[in-house]
Amino acid sequence: MTPLLLTAWSVVAAQDIPERAPQSAEDDAPLALPVDEVRTPGPDTPARQPGTAPERPLAIPRSGTAPPQRSAAHLQALKQYQRERVSVGTELAFHSSGAPVRVGFGGPWYGMSWGMFVANPAIYTSRTDAVYKGAIRLDMPDFLGTVGARDLRADLEQDILRANRSSAVWNTVAGLGIAGVVVGSFGYAEAEYQRDRDAMIYYNSIALGGLTATISGLIGSSMTSSRSFRLRRNPSYSVGFSEAERLAEEHNERLRQGLGLTADDVWGVESQGRTSR
């Protein structure tokens, strides 16, 4: 292409380009968040002195109130409340099906003989309820005395005493039964040796009666001693779980008022929930 044709083509191309329209006022509109306007203080903002650094917000705002100051006497009252506070909770008890080492007969391959053998007892658990004063477990008579329920304590002690007396009676019956079994067995052996049929029947009756008395006495003693144990240890069996909780709450309220503590002071102790051990 010659220089003359190149110049003519450039002139024609320049004439074909449309002229740009003048910018309107809308084209000069500022940004949605201009930097200058964001940094510019408002009309109500006090002017900052020159040479001072701008204020920056704290990462953790300061609270309006300072934590309460507790005196040594107040802390001592809180500790005493925690020690003397009564609570009703639950505990997990472990039981065994038998002793790991037992004494009994050995054999019979090499003859019957006494000996010791090791067993593998089964371990199982049971959950019961209990009463605690601080970290110390209380028996029910001690608990009722602590909360001031003297009438309930007297009635409970009478029930425990009757259960213990019944257990002693049944133990006596079992002891007499064992004596009857021993006497009947030796008498039957002697009567058999003497070929005395009537004596054999007589001593056999004594042995059977002694065996019946022994079994009955052991069963009765086990039932009454178990009742005495539950009356002494478990609030749900003696006065009832709800009644025990009510008595404990009344005692704790009197204790709090006596120590001069507020409900907010003891909330940290009371909000721990029911004791479980």
Side-chain angles (χ1 to χ4, degrees):
M1 181 180 294
T2 62
L4 182 60
L5 293 177
L6 180 60
T7 303
W9 180 81
S10 301
V11 172
V12 175
Q15 292 179 355
D16 293 338
I17 298 175
E19 296 182 358
R20 184 179 179 183
Q23 295 182 352
S24 60
E26 296 180 354
D27 295 338
D28 297 335
L31 298 175
L33 293 176
V35 177
D36 295 335
E37 290 185 11
V38 172
R39 295 182 178 179
T40 302
D44 298 335
T45 305
R48 182 171 55 88
Q49 297 296 332
T52 59
E55 296 183 356
R56 297 180 179 179
L58 297 175
I60 301 178
R62 293 188 296 266
S63 59
T65 59
Q69 299 295 329
R70 302 186 186 274
S71 62
H74 191 267
L75 292 177
Q76 186 64 28
L78 285 175
K79 293 179 181 179
Q80 184 176 354
Y81 178 83
Q82 191 171 10
R83 288 194 304 266
E84 299 182 5
R85 174 180 176 269
V86 176
S87 61
V88 183
T90 58
E91 61 182 10
L92 190 65
F94 291 86
H95 307 276
S96 174
S97 59
V101 179
R102 304 176 187 176
V103 178
F105 286 104
W109 297 275
Y110 303 101
M112 301 300 294
S113 61
W114 286 94
M116 299 179 62
F117 63 96
V118 179
N120 186 17
I123 305 298
Y124 62 96
T125 60
S126 64
R127 186 169 294 277
T128 59
D129 45 14
V131 179
Y132 295 89
K133 181 180 180 181
I136 302 174
R137 196 188 196 284
L138 294 179
D139 287 341
M140 288 308 299
D142 296 335
F143 163 71
L144 295 176
T146 301
V147 300
R150 295 182 177 85
D151 295 338
L152 290 176
R153 179 178 182 177
D155 295 339
L156 178 60
E157 287 179 345
Q158 289 296 325
D159 293 339
I160 295 174
L161 181 60
R162 283 193 291 267
N164 291 334
R165 288 176 177 174
S166 299
S167 179
V169 170
W170 284 112
N171 285 330
T172 303
V173 172
L176 294 176
I178 293 175
V181 171
V182 173
V183 172
S185 299
F186 280 100
Y188 183 86
E190 182 64 23
E192 186 179 15
Y193 178 76
Q194 297 293 336
R195 304 287 184 175
D196 190 347
R197 185 176 180 83
D198 294 336
M200 291 172 58
I201 296 174
Y202 173 75
Y203 284 111
N204 184 60
S205 301
I206 293 177
L208 290 177
L211 180 61
T212 303
T214 300
I215 296 174
S216 301
L218 292 177
I219 294 175
S221 175
S222 175
M223 294 175 61
T224 52
S225 61
S226 177
R227 182 173 184 271
S228 174
F229 178 82
R230 290 195 299 267
L231 286 173
R232 183 177 295 276
R233 300 285 288 179
N234 303 126
S236 59
Y237 193 82
S238 55
V239 298
F241 196 87
S242 301
E243 180 67 12
E245 283 189 328
R246 185 186 67 82
L247 293 173
E249 290 175 358
E250 293 179 354
H251 167 77
N252 295 336
E253 181 64 19
R254 291 192 299 268
L255 178 62
R256 180 188 68 80
Q257 295 177 2
L259 294 175
L261 300 174
T262 64
D264 293 335
D265 294 334
V266 301
W267 174 246
V269 180
E270 297 292 343
S271 61
Q272 293 178 0
R274 182 175 296 171
T275 305
S276 179
R277 300 173 187 263

